[in-house]
């Protein structure tokens, strides 16, 4: 997703982490002071793009809130990103195509109703059905019968997928069209959350006042200001909250959030702004966070626009990539907090292959000019890069544009949108005519998430309009491999196809550069770029 678990298009600037690598940075001096489990803490956020429906968020603003309000069959341990059971007691398969799910029997939604098999099956069917317009509907495309509820064109012939069968309140079966070796990992994504029966009475209203089954319960949403949650006392997950809730505070600039952090008016940051990268460790001392993150920063292109369509324009995009001096920008503007990218998968993620971008991620001004010329040039000899102004991106966008301008003669300027929601609306609404930033954080720790969920034809986060039969074929073959390791290798082959078309330019790998106030302790970040929410302690 663009940022979130997911999902996740990234809100602020951030590298990566392995399937089993630790995502923890500073320990936060946890345990040094007494804590009050009834107190809430605040977190830097952005206004969600869509209503708070689990299958309707593939960006950080909505995704991070939803992942705290809802809990699916599984999630990922924040210390090592390994899969762990949550609502599921077990998920069994002998062929990676049919999965038998057994639920724990004591889970409830925040309205007190039990979480049953039908709550998962009905939620997934509703989310997959075309007429419900859920942005993450393609996440269900592996399930048998998906094309019946979500045809390529025309109205659905039914509203239930044949691959989902309820046995009883605690047992259901998932049958896929073909085997997918890593399907259990996908089930940790927020789109696979259950929904209470009451949701379907008024889905729009439920998106404004959601009833979940996660560690935190929805309290209120003051749009463009904050979302307030409180801990749910009957939460049955393995990660019971050690605090009273999270307040997601919306900021228009990362600089404003950092100022609030320093004055203890904000407790935990998403990312410090580039302007603070050189000083934040001195400013915050042992409250500074510097930890791995499974994320990458890219620049994408609207291939659906005539000016960027056609095979010859791939050369223009390849040339623009070679005009960007990643090493200098990451060293100076980003203060060494990022590593230049040489692939479309984040460094350290299972299946990452260094250099899979080929020569096109190398800085070579002469070759850049030649490729741009061979491709017919940048439309109007001017490139705009759309980005969200609230995420601390201006500095690096300006630096990228300067590099392109100085090395190719192409006029390049940033196109700031007021906030993340506005930028994402322009991108998903296909109103962008130039390039746009597409930071991506892992939804599950495997290279397939950076590839199939972004570049496959019709994928939920394929904001480019990119379609490659060769990529799709190799991705499908990778899905059907006999093991997760074989799938990862197969996706490396699919990734290499992106060199030919360059729908997006890889820039650099993120790290979580963050910090927290003196009000909290035991703040650690996972490889998804999230704090271990339930483990944060508010000082008494």
């Amino acid at each position: 997703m663009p940022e979130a678990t997911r999902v996740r298009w990234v809100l602020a600037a951030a590298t990566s982490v392995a399937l089993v690598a630790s995502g923890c940075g500073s320990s936060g001096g946890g345990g040094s002071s007494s804590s009050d489990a009834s107190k809430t803490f605040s977190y830097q956020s952005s206004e969600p793009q869509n209503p708070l429906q689990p299958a309707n968020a593939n960006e950080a603003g909505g995704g991070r809130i939803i992942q705290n309000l809802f809990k699916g069959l599984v999630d990922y341990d924040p210390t090592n990103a390994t899969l762990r059971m949550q609502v599921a007691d077990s998920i069994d398969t002998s062929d990676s195509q049919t999965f038998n799910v057994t639920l724990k029997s004591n889970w409830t939604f925040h309205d007190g109703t039990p979480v049953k098999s039908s709550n998962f099956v009905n939620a997934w069917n509703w989310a997959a059905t075309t007429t419900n317009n859920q942005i993450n509907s393609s996440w269900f495309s592996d399930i048998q019968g998906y094309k019946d509820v979500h045809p390529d064109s025309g109205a659905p012939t039914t509203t239930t997928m044949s691959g989902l069968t309820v046995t009883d309140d605690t047992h259901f079966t998932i049958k896929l069209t073909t085997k997918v070796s890593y399907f259990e990992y996908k089930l940790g994504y927020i789109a696979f959350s259950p929904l209470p029966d009451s949701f379907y009475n008024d889905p729009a209203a439920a998106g404004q006042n959601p009833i979940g089954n996660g560690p935190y319960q929805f309290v209120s949403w003051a749009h463009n200001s904050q979302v307030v949650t409180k801990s749910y006392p009957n939460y049955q997950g393995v990660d019971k909250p050690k605090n009273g809730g999270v307040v997601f505070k919306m900021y228009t600039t990362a600089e404003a959030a950092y100022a609030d952090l320093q004055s203890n008016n904000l407790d935990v940051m998403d990312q410090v702004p580039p302007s603070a990268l050189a000083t934040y460790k001195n400013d915050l001392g042992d409250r500074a966070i510097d930890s791995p993150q499974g994320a990458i920063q890219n620049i994408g292109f609207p291939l659906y626009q005539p000016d960027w369509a056609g095979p010859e324009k791939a050369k223009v995009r390849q040339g623009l990539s070679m005009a960007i001096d990643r090493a200098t920008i990451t060293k100076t503007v980003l203060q060494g907090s990022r590593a230049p990218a040489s692939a479309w998968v984040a460094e350290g993620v299972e299946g990452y292959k260094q250099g899979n971008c080929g020569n096109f991620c190398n800085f070579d001004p002469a070759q850049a000019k030649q490729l741009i010329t061979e491709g017919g040039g940048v439309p109007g000899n001017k490139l705009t890069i759309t980005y969200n102004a609230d995420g601390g991106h201006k500095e690096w966008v300006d630096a990228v544009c300067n590099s392109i301008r100085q090395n190719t003669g192409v006029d390049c300027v940033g196109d700031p949108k007021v906030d993340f929601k506005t930028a994402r609306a322009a991108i998903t609404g296909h109103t962008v005519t130039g390039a746009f930033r597409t930071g991506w954080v892992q939804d599950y720790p495997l290279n397939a998430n950076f590839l199939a969920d972004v570049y496959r034809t019709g994928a939920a986060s394929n904001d480019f309009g990119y379609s490659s039969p060769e990529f799709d074929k190799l991705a499908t073959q990778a899905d059907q491999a006999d093991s997760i390791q074989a799938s990862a290798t197969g996706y490396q082959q699919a990734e290499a196809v992106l060199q030919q078309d360059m729908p997006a330019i890889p820039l650099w790998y993120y790290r979580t550069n963050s910090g927290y106030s003196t009000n909290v302790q035991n703040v650690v970040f996972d490889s998804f770029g999230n704090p271990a929410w339930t483990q944060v302690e508010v000082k008494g």
Side-chain angles (χ1 to χ4, degrees):
M1 143 189 341
E3 302 174 9
T5 350
R6 52 102 89 197
V7 305
R8 219 111 33 69
W9 291 110
V10 219
L11 164 66
T15 293
S16 43
V17 146
L19 194 63
V20 294
S22 170
C24 301
S26 168
S27 67
S32 61
S33 301
S34 62
S35 61
D36 187 339
S38 68
K39 289 185 176 180
T40 63
F41 71 94
S42 56
Y43 184 82
Q44 176 196 3
S45 188
S46 62
E47 177 72 4
Q49 180 186 1
N50 297 313
L52 296 174
Q53 301 160 324
N56 211 14
N58 69 349
E59 36 71 46
R64 285 184 174 138
I65 297 169
I66 289 170
Q67 71 175 239
N68 282 292
L69 298 177
F70 291 85
K71 188 63 68 174
L73 298 172
V74 299
D75 69 359
Y76 314 96
D77 190 308
T79 62
N80 56 23
T82 54
L83 205 64
R84 64 183 181 185
M85 296 291 143
Q86 286 283 20
V87 184
D89 188 55
S90 65
I91 303 174
D92 300 315
T93 183
S94 60
D95 59 4
S96 295
Q97 184 172 359
T98 300
F99 297 81
N100 297 307
V101 179
T102 301
L103 304 183
K104 294 167 184 169
S105 58
N106 53 353
W107 278 73
T108 60
F109 288 102
H110 300 151
D111 61 1
T113 58
V115 178
K116 300 179 293 187
S117 298
S118 59
N119 295 115
F120 282 96
V121 169
N122 292 343
W124 300 0
N125 280 323
W126 187 87
T129 301
T130 308
T131 49
N132 294 320
N133 298 314
Q134 296 294 282
I135 199 168
N136 286 322
S137 58
S138 69
W139 278 78
F140 303 94
S141 61
D142 297 319
I143 299 172
Q144 188 179 87
Y146 174 76
K147 287 295 186 181
D148 297 327
V149 303
H150 200 108
D152 293 333
S153 61
T157 58
T158 181
T159 57
T160 58
M161 291 181 281
S162 58
L164 298 177
T165 304
V166 173
T167 304
D168 56 37
D169 285 351
T170 58
H171 296 85
F172 71 98
T173 301
I174 309 165
K175 187 170 184 179
L176 309 183
T177 304
T178 59
K179 70 177 184 179
V180 177
S181 64
Y182 57 93
F183 185 71
E184 287 179 67
Y185 278 89
K186 297 180 75 169
L187 290 173
Y189 185 51
I190 57 171
F192 290 97
S193 301
L195 292 170
D197 293 340
S198 62
F199 173 88
Y200 307 98
N201 297 331
D202 191 340
Q208 299 298 320
N209 191 1
I211 296 172
N213 67 317
Y216 297 105
Q217 185 173 353
F218 179 83
V219 175
S220 63
W221 183 0
H223 287 277
N224 299 302
S225 177
Q226 64 181 21
V227 169
V228 178
T229 71
K230 64 179 180 181
S231 59
Y232 179 52
N234 294 325
Y235 177 64
Q236 298 299 313
V238 298
D239 51 338
K240 295 185 186 300
K242 295 180 179 179
N243 52 68
V246 186
V247 177
F248 295 88
K249 297 178 67 174
M250 319 305 178
Y251 284 90
T252 55
T253 68
E255 288 77 13
Y258 187 60
D260 268 6
L261 184 78
Q262 290 178 292
S263 60
N264 285 331
N265 291 317
L266 173 69
D267 292 319
V268 184
M269 283 207 74
D270 174 65
Q271 290 279 357
V272 300
S275 58
L277 284 170
T279 61
Y280 87 101
K281 291 181 180 179
N282 286 332
D283 294 342
L284 302 176
D286 63 3
R287 293 182 289 109
I289 296 282
D290 182 0
S291 65
Q293 184 181 140
I296 188 172
Q297 185 74 269
N298 302 322
I299 295 175
F301 292 85
L303 307 188
Y304 50 82
Q305 298 287 6
D307 284 344
W308 289 105
E312 73 283 352
K313 288 304 177 184
K315 288 189 174 183
V316 175
R317 297 187 290 272
Q318 291 166 345
L320 291 170
S321 177
M322 298 186 81
I324 300 169
D325 188 352
R326 295 166 177 79
T328 297
I329 295 171
T330 54
K331 181 179 179 180
T332 57
V333 177
L334 298 172
Q335 298 294 318
S337 64
R338 313 287 184 266
S342 64
W344 284 268
V345 174
E347 188 178 42
V349 169
E350 181 75 11
Y352 164 74
K353 185 176 181 180
Q354 185 178 10
N356 232 8
C357 181
N359 293 326
F360 300 123
C361 284
N362 296 337
F363 180 52
D364 188 335
Q367 184 67 11
K369 288 181 181 178
Q370 180 177 334
L371 285 168
I372 291 172
T373 300
E374 291 176 358
V378 172
N381 201 44
K382 182 174 182 178
L383 179 71
T384 58
I385 302 177
T386 297
Y387 67 96
N388 54 300
D390 59 345
H393 301 293
K394 182 181 188 302
E395 291 86 349
W396 70 256
V397 170
D398 287 348
V400 166
C401 273
N402 288 338
S403 191
I404 290 172
R405 188 183 309 110
Q406 293 169 8
N407 293 302
T408 68
V410 173
D411 186 19
C412 182
V413 295
D415 173 31
K417 303 301 182 185
V418 63
D419 55 24
F420 195 47
K421 176 182 179 180
T422 304
R424 287 300 302 157
I427 292 166
T428 58
H430 286 185
T431 61
V432 175
T433 57
F436 51 90
R437 67 163 291 268
T438 64
W440 183 262
V441 182
Q442 64 184 12
D443 297 309
Y444 52 94
L446 187 69
N447 62 346
N449 180 230
F450 289 79
L451 299 169
D453 297 314
V454 181
Y455 300 105
R456 187 177 242 147
T457 301
S461 297
N462 186 341
D463 294 327
F464 325 101
Y466 177 60
S467 180
S468 164
E470 184 179 3
F471 178 92
D472 291 348
K473 180 186 73 173
L474 291 170
T476 298
Q477 291 174 356
D479 286 347
Q480 298 173 17
D482 292 333
S483 67
I484 292 177
Q485 291 72 25
S487 288
T489 300
Y491 268 106
Q492 290 173 349
Q493 298 171 6
E495 182 183 14
V497 173
L498 299 179
Q499 293 181 33
Q500 305 168 16
D501 303 317
M502 198 65 70
I505 295 174
L507 293 179
W508 41 77
Y509 308 124
Y510 279 83
R511 290 187 69 82
T512 296
N513 301 109
S514 181
Y516 53 94
S517 75
T518 61
N519 299 325
V520 293
Q521 59 190 10
N522 197 35
V523 180
V524 295
F525 278 72
D526 62 20
S527 63
F528 299 89
N530 299 318
W533 307 96
T534 60
Q535 304 309 298
V536 175
E537 298 176 1
V538 183
K539 294 181 181 179

